[in-house]
Amino acid sequence: MAPPKRPFKRIVDKLVELKDTSELMMDLAYSSLLLNSHRLAEEVQELEEHVDELHTEFELLVLSSGFKKEESRDFLGLIRLGVVTEKIADAASEIAGVVLRGLEPHPVLKLVIEEAEETVARVQVARESSLIGKTLRDAQIPEETGMWVLSIRRGRRWIRPKPDVMIKTGDILIASGYAEGEEDLVRLASAETTH
Amino acid sequence: MVHLEKVEYKPIPVRDLLVEMKDISELMIDLAYSAALFHSPELAEEVLELEEHIDKLAYILGMNAMLAARDAEDAEALVGVSVVAAAANKISDAAADIAAIVLQEIGIHPIVREAFQKVEERLIRVAVKPGSILTGQRLEELELAARIGVDIIAIRRGKRWILNPDDEETAREKDVLVARGAPMGVEEFKRLADGTVQKLED
């Protein structure tokens, strides 16, 4: 078997980015319902546009990778995985749409999502925060708050929360965890020092 | 001829139906990607069965939601419920699409799969080694979700699959665990399963 070629890596990176983003959208969409939060629902819609762009880039990468005829089935598999992420993103966007249309979420919906006990928080990192300049690994956010960072929004970009990503001023941390952790996360990201 | 089972009305609270649809559809996505990543047709079959189940739930939910609306106000409040149920159904369809890729041998090239496994950091499959601290304690006691942000979504024990194991379940030596979580938690989970780490931090 031939060793993996470079294009494969780029294609798979893009696919995983699509996968992660569509899953992030699901978490955000359900949370936007629970909290009746326009801000989170809007984030979902912005991500939907982002996914559309990513998906196009992904398909172009696959189609321009110069695969051989006998490899076409494998590449079809890849294309279809891409379509799946798009479908999930659409579903998330429909859920967020309920909030954006100003329909007061039915009490049943809140109960359903609360059942999960987890919540999503969206917190901006202040210049004075002790997190600035630290990598995610060193920031120890789960240890301090019980919240797990799902994504870091930096301007128009959403960054995957790899351990060596450095936290910068103005970053928005999108994190999930038990509801009680949110306050701790807000404190950590703001100027206040608690120790 | 396609034969689909007739779905009869059952008085089940909309809330219970929606909780089940939401939970199962999310589980299905993880199981389906796992089936693709770790090339498991059996797991893909399980996903297709769950898909069938979700379809039935969607019908029953629709019936119950219709009966719950008495006036325009109720209808306005309930329409959100049916939008969310439809979205959960769509998510389960998406999972079934992934399962179909695995089962129809359209396939995912081994090289792609290998690259996929390297980049994908949220799903893991790992065998429980002798002496791992994951054995001997109920999942409830391990509190993996709270401690390291990881959920065990399936256990393969011999030829049997246990999907979405409940709190009472205990992992055993040689079990193959499929889990999902945040990347750092997943790394930690791997070390717990293979015995390199012997202690769960609080």
Side-chain angles (χ1 to χ4, degrees):
Chain A
M1 203 183 288
K5 288 172 285 187
R6 279 306 289 173
F8 262 150
K9 167 117 178 51
R10 285 181 62 204
I11 292 172
V12 172
D13 277 348
K14 197 62 91 184
L15 178 64
V16 172
E17 197 179 346
L18 274 166
K19 172 183 176 290
D20 285 353
T21 310
S22 62
E23 291 176 1
L24 169 66
M25 286 173 68
M26 265 167 56
D27 288 340
L28 284 172
Y30 280 122
S31 295
S32 74
L33 265 185
L34 174 64
L35 307 167
N36 198 11
S37 158
H38 274 248
R39 190 65 207 87
L40 287 182
E42 276 163 17
E43 183 103 40
V44 175
Q45 307 300 354
E46 287 171 49
L47 279 162
E48 163 73 2
E49 281 169 36
H50 180 59
V51 162
D52 286 343
E53 285 165 27
L54 280 176
H55 190 211
T56 303
E57 289 167 21
F58 169 74
E59 289 184 321
L60 288 173
L61 273 178
V62 173
L63 291 172
S64 61
S65 61
F67 51 85
K68 298 188 202 83
K69 195 174 167 212
E70 60 272 22
E71 292 171 321
S72 44
R73 279 185 164 268
D74 298 316
F75 281 86
L76 180 58
L78 273 172
I79 294 258
R80 290 203 179 163
L81 280 179
V83 172
V84 166
T85 63
E86 172 93 61
K87 206 164 168 177
I88 294 168
D90 277 349
S93 157
E94 281 161 20
I95 294 171
V98 174
V99 176
L100 293 176
R101 284 183 199 278
L103 293 163
E104 175 68 24
H106 193 275
V108 158
L109 290 174
K110 296 202 176 190
L111 289 171
V112 166
I113 299 157
E114 268 167 9
E115 196 103 338
E117 289 177 345
E118 283 186 28
T119 185
V120 174
R122 194 179 180 284
V123 178
Q124 187 150 30
V125 186
R127 188 166 6 120
E128 299 84 357
S129 165
S130 62
L131 296 175
I132 301 295
K134 282 189 187 157
T135 60
L136 267 186
R137 185 186 293 106
D138 295 338
Q140 301 221 313
I141 294 170
E143 289 82 350
E144 298 284 328
T145 68
M147 307 280 290
W148 295 84
V149 176
L150 301 171
S151 183
I152 299 171
R153 178 160 187 182
R154 186 170 294 161
R156 287 285 305 149
R157 291 200 305 139
W158 287 266
I159 299 166
R160 296 179 64 204
K162 292 173 123 4
D164 52 1
V165 172
M166 184 90 78
I167 301 171
K168 296 187 177 169
T169 305
D171 279 355
I172 291 165
L173 307 178
I174 300 170
S176 80
Y178 294 95
E180 308 90 71
E182 186 171 348
E183 254 178 66
D184 293 331
L185 182 65
V186 169
R187 211 173 299 130
L188 202 58
S190 66
E192 285 178 57
T193 44
T194 46
H195 300 290
Chain B
M1 209 184 79
V2 180
H3 179 76
L4 288 175
E5 197 185 322
K6 180 165 188 271
V7 184
E8 276 171 22
Y9 170 75
K10 283 187 198 123
I12 304 175
V14 169
R15 170 193 167 178
D16 295 355
L17 291 163
L18 197 57
V19 168
E20 199 174 343
M21 286 182 72
K22 175 178 183 287
D23 290 352
I24 297 180
S25 60
E26 289 176 349
L27 173 71
M28 284 172 70
I29 290 288
D30 291 332
L31 293 175
Y33 278 123
S34 304
L37 268 176
F38 311 124
H39 190 66
S40 170
E42 298 102 330
L43 208 46
E45 293 280 4
E46 300 277 0
V47 170
L48 293 186
E49 270 177 43
L50 289 172
E51 153 67 5
E52 178 85 353
H53 180 57
I54 290 265
D55 280 345
K56 265 189 245 161
L57 291 178
Y59 271 93
I60 297 171
L61 184 141
M63 294 171 192
N64 280 283
M66 283 174 198
L67 286 174
R70 281 152 306 190
D71 51 31
E73 215 177 304
D74 279 356
E76 258 189 24
L78 278 162
V79 73
V81 172
S82 55
V83 171
V84 174
N89 201 356
K90 192 166 176 177
I91 289 166
S92 76
D93 284 346
D97 289 348
I98 303 176
I101 298 170
V102 176
L103 288 170
Q104 289 166 2
E105 298 289 326
I106 291 174
I108 292 162
H109 197 281
I111 294 176
V112 173
R113 210 183 305 134
E114 203 179 294
F116 198 179
Q117 283 177 22
K118 261 188 210 137
V119 189
E120 163 56 53
E121 296 163 310
R122 293 171 190 275
L123 288 168
I124 191 169
R125 180 184 60 174
V126 63
V128 181
K129 294 269 163 63
S132 158
I133 66 154
L134 296 182
T135 61
Q137 281 187 85
R138 282 178 295 126
L139 295 185
E140 186 181 37
E141 295 168 281
L142 288 170
E143 287 188 288
L144 293 171
R147 282 172 161 154
I148 58 171
V150 168
D151 278 314
I152 297 177
I153 56 171
I155 300 176
R156 190 186 175 136
R157 183 167 296 158
K159 283 191 158 64
R160 199 159 69 95
W161 279 97
I162 304 165
L163 303 183
N164 203 16
D166 63 32
D167 289 345
E168 297 298 312
E169 192 62 60
T170 304
R172 302 181 192 163
E173 245 180 73
K174 291 189 190 155
D175 277 354
V176 176
L177 309 177
V178 181
R180 78 152 283 145
M184 279 183 275
V186 166
E187 275 176 38
E188 179 76 4
F189 179 75
K190 184 167 188 260
R191 289 191 288 265
L192 291 168
D194 66 22
T196 6
V197 170
Q198 287 287 344
K199 195 170 160 288
L200 258 172
E201 303 283 337
D202 270 314

